[in-house]
Amino acid sequence: MNDVVLTGDRPTGSLHLGHYFGSLANRVTLQDKFPMYVLIADYQVITDRDLPGAIQRNITELLLDYLAVGIDPAKVTIFQHSAVPELNQLLLPFLSLVSVSELHRNPTVKDEIAHSSQRAVSGLMFTYPVHQAADILFCKGTLVPVGKDQLPHVEVTRLVARRFNERYGEVFPEPEAMMGERPLLQGLDGGKMSKSRGNAIALSATEDETAALIRKARTDSERLITFDETRRPEVANLLTLAGLCLGRSPQDIAEEIGDGGASALKRLATEAVNEFLRPIRKRRAEHTEEEVRQILTAGNAAARERAIMTLDEVRAAMGF
C-alpha cells in the first residue's frame, strides 16, 4: 500500500509558530513526496467549547495560513470536516472498538479538559481521539505529521485500525506519527504554546504585534544569557525560538548575547521572528477569500468521494 498523509487543524484561530515548527514545515516537505489530505476540523471545534465562535471567519484564516506557509492546493486535498458526512459515519463502528477506560486514560484529552472553556465536559470531548481516528482512516492515512502532544491520538488510531482488522478483516493500515523539527515549542508565558491561551505568536501577526508579544515574554533576573532548559526554561525557550527562525543553535545565540541580558535576548528574538515571518506575511496577502472558497469546494468534493469508497468498504466488511 502506498503511503498517504493526513493532517490538519481545528479552526479556532490563527496558526502560530508552534504549529509551524511542530507540523506545518513538515507538511510542506511531504506534499512533494506523498498524496496528502489536509483537514479543517470544524466539527471538532465544539469538543472543548460550548459555541464554535466565528467559525467561517476562522476557516478562511486557517486556509490563508496554509497557503502562506506554502501548502499547495494543486498538490494536496484541503477539506472541511462538516462537508464530508460519510467520514463522520465511521465514528460509530470505531467507538465500539475502544473502551471507556481507554478514553479516560488519554493524556491529551486530560490536558484539553483542564483548559476547556465548556461549563461541563461533553461526551464529544472523550470521543475526540476516536473522531480523529476516523479523520485519519477515512483516506487510509499511513503518515500523520503531529506535535508531541498529539502522539496519544495517533496511538488510538492505530488501536482502532488494529481491532477493526482483527474483528472484520484487513481494511485499514496502522498509521505512523511523523514528528516535526521542534515537536513542542513553549508559549511566551512558559506554558504550552496555544491559540486559546494567548501566549503564541500567530503566523499572521504584524511586526508590531510580534514585538509586543516578545517584550512580555517571561525570562529571569540573571544577566548572563545561557541555554539551560532545566534551570532557565523561559530563557531557553526564547533562544530556541530565535534559533529555529535563524537556523542556528540556541547555544550559539546565547554565546553571542552573553551578558546583554533579557533585553538583548528579546531584541534578537524579535528581529529573528519578524525576518522569518516576512515572506509568509507577503504570501498571505497575495490570496483572496474567493480563492479560498474555490479551494474548499474542490477539496470537499474530492474528500467526500474518498470517504464514500471507504465507508462502502467498511459496511461490506461488517456485513451491513
Side-chain angles (χ1 to χ4, degrees):
M1 180 180 292
N2 294 327
D3 281 317
V4 175
V5 175
L6 185 284
T7 183
D9 303 276
R10 296 192 302 165
T12 55
S14 298
L15 298 180
H16 52 66
L17 285 172
H19 292 119
Y20 183 85
F21 291 113
S23 183
L24 292 174
N26 204 23
R27 298 179 199 179
V28 173
T29 301
L30 291 173
Q31 71 181 354
D32 292 320
K33 300 178 180 179
F34 306 104
M36 180 184 290
Y37 289 82
V38 179
L39 166 67
I40 298 179
D42 49 359
Y43 270 164
Q44 292 182 2
V45 172
I46 54 175
T47 55
D48 61 351
R49 60 200 69 206
D50 294 320
L51 297 171
I55 191 72
Q56 292 303 324
R57 179 74 255 163
N58 287 341
I59 289 170
T60 298
E61 293 297 315
L62 180 59
L63 208 152
L64 287 171
D65 282 338
Y66 287 159
L67 298 175
V69 300
I71 292 176
D72 186 351
K75 299 176 181 178
V76 306
T77 301
I78 304 174
F79 68 100
Q80 284 175 256
H81 213 164
S82 60
V84 188
E86 291 79 11
L87 183 163
N88 295 295
Q89 289 183 57
L90 293 173
L91 181 61
L92 289 177
F94 285 0
L95 279 173
S96 72
L97 301 170
V98 182
S99 71
V100 173
S101 62
E102 286 170 332
L103 294 174
H104 271 278
R105 288 197 298 268
N106 188 294
T108 305
V109 170
K110 289 180 179 179
D111 183 68
E112 293 288 350
I113 288 172
H115 294 91
S116 172
S117 62
Q118 287 184 309
R119 291 186 293 271
V121 177
S122 70
L124 188 59
M125 171 64 82
F126 284 108
T127 60
Y128 184 22
V130 184
H131 213 161
Q132 287 200 325
D135 298 339
I136 296 166
L137 296 176
F138 96 95
C139 63
K140 305 293 184 71
T142 59
L143 302 173
V144 188
V146 292
K148 184 178 180 180
D149 58 328
Q150 292 291 310
L151 285 176
H153 287 343
V154 178
E155 287 305 311
V156 171
T157 301
R158 291 172 57 81
L159 179 68
V160 166
R162 186 163 57 252
R163 287 179 178 171
F164 187 96
N165 294 341
E166 290 170 352
R167 187 174 298 183
Y168 300 112
E170 291 292 324
V171 172
F172 295 111
E174 292 186 35
E176 298 288 342
M178 299 188 70
M179 304 295 288
E181 180 180 354
R182 178 71 182 185
L184 190 57
L185 190 63
Q186 296 297 318
L188 298 176
D189 60 357
K192 174 186 172 183
M193 184 173 282
S194 169
K195 290 178 285 190
S196 61
R197 300 177 196 181
N199 63 0
I201 299 172
L203 299 177
S204 58
T206 66
E207 293 200 13
D208 288 345
E209 289 168 343
T210 298
L213 284 165
I214 294 177
R215 273 198 304 271
K216 294 189 294 185
R218 289 183 183 175
T219 52
D220 56 37
S221 58
E222 292 186 38
R223 186 160 186 81
L224 180 65
I225 299 300
T226 58
F227 182 75
D228 187 334
E229 291 182 293
T230 302
R231 192 174 65 85
R232 309 181 69 185
E234 292 90 353
V235 169
N237 191 53
L238 278 180
L239 289 167
T240 299
L241 177 60
L244 287 168
C245 291
L246 292 171
R248 297 169 57 191
S249 74
Q251 294 88 347
D252 179 42
I253 294 172
E255 290 182 12
E256 177 185 323
I257 297 171
D259 61 359
S263 61
L265 169 59
K266 290 182 178 181
R267 185 164 55 252
L268 186 149
T270 299
E271 292 171 357
V273 171
N274 274 328
E275 186 62 30
F276 180 81
L277 289 178
R278 193 160 287 121
I280 292 176
R281 293 173 180 137
K282 182 177 183 295
R283 284 194 297 268
R284 200 177 199 277
E286 293 170 352
H287 298 286
T288 66
E289 292 190 18
E290 177 59 30
E291 185 179 358
V292 166
R293 285 191 290 270
Q294 292 173 358
I295 290 168
L296 279 179
T297 297
N300 290 343
R304 191 169 187 193
E305 183 178 354
R306 171 71 264 194
I308 289 170
M309 292 171 58
T310 300
L311 184 60
D312 286 347
E313 193 176 352
V314 165
R315 285 170 170 162
M318 296 178 70
F320 284 106

